[in-house]
Structure formats: structure tokens, C-alpha cells
Amino acid sequence: MTALTGISQAPAAEGAGTGSGAEQALRPHAEDAFADELAALAAADDRPRPARWLMSPWAVATYLLGGTLPDGTVITPKYVGPRRIVEVAVTTLATDRALLLLGVPGTAKTWVSEHLAAAISGDSTLLVQGTAGTPEEAIRYGWNYAQLLTHGPSRDALVHSPVMRAMAEGRIARVEELTRIPADVQDTLITILSEKTLPIPELGSETQAVSGFNLIATANDRDRGVNDLSSALRRRFNTVVLPLPASAEDEVDIVSRRVDQIGRGLELPAAPRGADEIRRVVTVFRELRGGITEDGRTKLKSPSGTLSTAEAISVVTGGLALAAHFGDGVLRAGDIAAGILGAVVRDPAADRVIWQEYLETVVRERDGWKDFYRACREVSA
């Protein structure tokens, strides 16, 4: 199965920055970066739309997976992965079930949630970032204490959370890293998701969700120190597991597209002949991640890191910056070696031994990899 991993290649939106309006955001929101595609899809979409959705579920899936409209407009693919996974995720949001995107780090959970919210609601910013210190107010509501002290509890004194705003406006709310949030705060969502209402006992009232409201949460089960979801809360979600890419070709394609987009956003020159180095990074990550070489002949020890597609993108982007600013603009083995070492060796003791064994038993003997071996040996010394 192929991972549902972001590969968008659209240019950054003009004027999407803060301040004067002439500035360009370093990373525009999806609804800004892909405004033209979203508008074209909405105009061509003649299928039934759920209440307050900007387009039909079919159009949302097309926006994520890419396609060509009847008028010839090309919708760029944002993800590589089985269509059925996207269809299940989109369909879930058209029901009364919330969506939980589950997967190991680097499987584009955040990327998927952002683009789903952008396509459905036109607003991906109703976001709660989960941490160990996330308070209950971040999900429910807070208070403007100046108003509270002056006039007492009132609607004007309420500070709406992103979830509360989404309920009132019929939009999609997002909760990132749900399992990072303390368990008692997580359970604040139970009433919201089951009863579709948010009680405000201080005012003797409530905020009821209107049609169009739903919630997307992301979580991974591999990080240490996470808080498992209660069975009551998990029942309120339909869980979709996002896998890593199944084939090296898919992963190379994903990394290439994302590096191209990020590089253009950072105004880095395109890297000539960079495809060979990208394939090397992907090959190293896949072999160490899977514990076996791509030819199936040599078993390997896996390091403690996840070696995800997202980390491969980071390594290649860093190498591209090195080549552009301190080299001749051509991406070479020496530009990616340090990034690979940093991604693989997370535990200085155990991971370094695993890396050295891999270099000597696999990389050293591989045809055409002598330059890569020398570069890695140099930064590993």
C-alpha cells in the first residue's frame, strides 16, 4: 500500500503574507496556495454537496489526488496513495463521525488534514495544536478577563476556541497530535462529538454545532509519552491509517515534488542532476527502516528513528541549500551525507554502530556509490 503523503507542487500564493499585503507568506495556507485550483473545481462541480461544503466529496477527492477537469484545467496531485483511503476520509467528514488520521511520524497526517479542511470549508486555520500543556480552554473556550471583571460573564467576554468557532460557523476544525494532549482534556471532545453541542455553564447556555461542522484529529502511536485515547472518545472517531509509501518509486516521486515546491518557496535554484541523490536518500531510508536491503539479500539492524518520508524531504532540502549557497548548485553526495547522519543517528551509541555497519557492509560494496561512501565516512569520522 502506498502512503498518503503530500507532494504538492503549486507555487506559493501571492500576497498571502501578513502586514502590508505585498509580502509573501513563507508557507501559505492551502486555501491560499491552491486558490485557483479550488475555484476551478468548485465551478466545474455539479455533484451534490453536503451542507456548507464548498464542493462535493468527489471534487474534494479530486483536489487531493489530482486530475483534469472537462475544461482542461489540471488539478495537481497533493498526495500519492490509494484513492480508497482518500474517499473514506472524505466520506467520514460528510457523516456525523469525526475523522482520526493515524500513522507513524512523517506520513502526512497534518498535510492531509489541512487540505481536507481547505477544500471543504475554505479555511484550514481553525486549528488546535496538541501538546502536553494544552489546556481545556484551547478546545472549549476562554474568557477575556478585562470584560469578565468589568461586566461579569457574558457572550462578549467569551474567547471562542477554534473548535467553538467551527461549530458556530459549520466548518472543519483540526486537532493536531491528539494523543499529546492530557487525557482529561482530550475527553472534552466527547460531548462535542456525540451531542454536537458545547455547554457554557457560566452563562446557562450552549453553542450548538450547525450543519457542516466536523473535526479532524491526527495522532501517532509510536512516540513515547503519549496519552492513549479513552474508549469513549475513540468510538466518536472513524480511524483512517496513513501508511508509508509502499514502493521506492512512489517515495522518490513524493520527495522530488515536495523538495521542488519547498525549494521554490525558499527561492533556491533547481538542483541539476539531483534525482540520483534523492534516490540514494530514499534507498538508505527504506533499507534501514525495513531492516533489509532492496535486493532482499542482506538483513539489517534498524536505528531508533522513524526515517520517514518527511525526514527524507528535509535531508534533500538541506542538501539543496548547501549546494546552492556553498557549492556550485549541483546536488552531490557530500551535500546530503550530514543530513542522513543526523536523521539516522538519534541514539549516539546504538545508532552509530548500526550506521557504521550499514556503511561497511552495504554502501561500500554497492556499485556507483563510492562517492557517497566517502562522503558519509568523512562526516561520520
Side-chain angles (χ1 to χ4, degrees), residues 1-3 7 80-81 245-255 309:
M1 183 176 287
T2 303
I7 57 168
V80 170
S247 70
E249 288 73 21
D250 284 342
E251 194 159 3
V252 168
D253 184 42
I254 291 166
V255 174
T309 307

Side-chain angles (χ1 to χ4, degrees), residues 287-300:
E287 289 183 334
L288 288 174
R289 193 168 67 211
I292 193 169
T293 54
E294 60 182 3
D295 60 10
R297 295 179 179 179
T298 305
K299 291 186 177 181
L300 306 167

Side-chain angles (χ1 to χ4, degrees), residues 280-281 283-285 287-288 293 298-301 303 333 336-338 340-342 344-345 350-367 369-381:
R280 280 175 172 172
V281 173
T283 299
V284 170
F285 276 32
E287 289 183 334
L288 288 174
T293 54
T298 305
K299 291 186 177 181
L300 306 167
K301 296 177 182 177
I336 60 174
I340 290 180
L341 177 66
V344 173
V345 181
D351 290 346
R352 185 170 291 277
V353 172
I354 292 172
W355 175 238
Q356 294 292 347
E357 288 181 357
Y358 178 73
L359 282 180
E360 299 302 326
T361 60
V362 177
V363 175
R364 184 179 182 180
E365 305 301 324
R366 185 164 279 165
D367 291 340
W369 282 47
K370 297 300 182 185
D371 59 331
F372 183 76
Y373 172 75
R374 288 192 298 268
C376 290
R377 286 285 299 172
E378 182 179 341
V379 298
S380 300

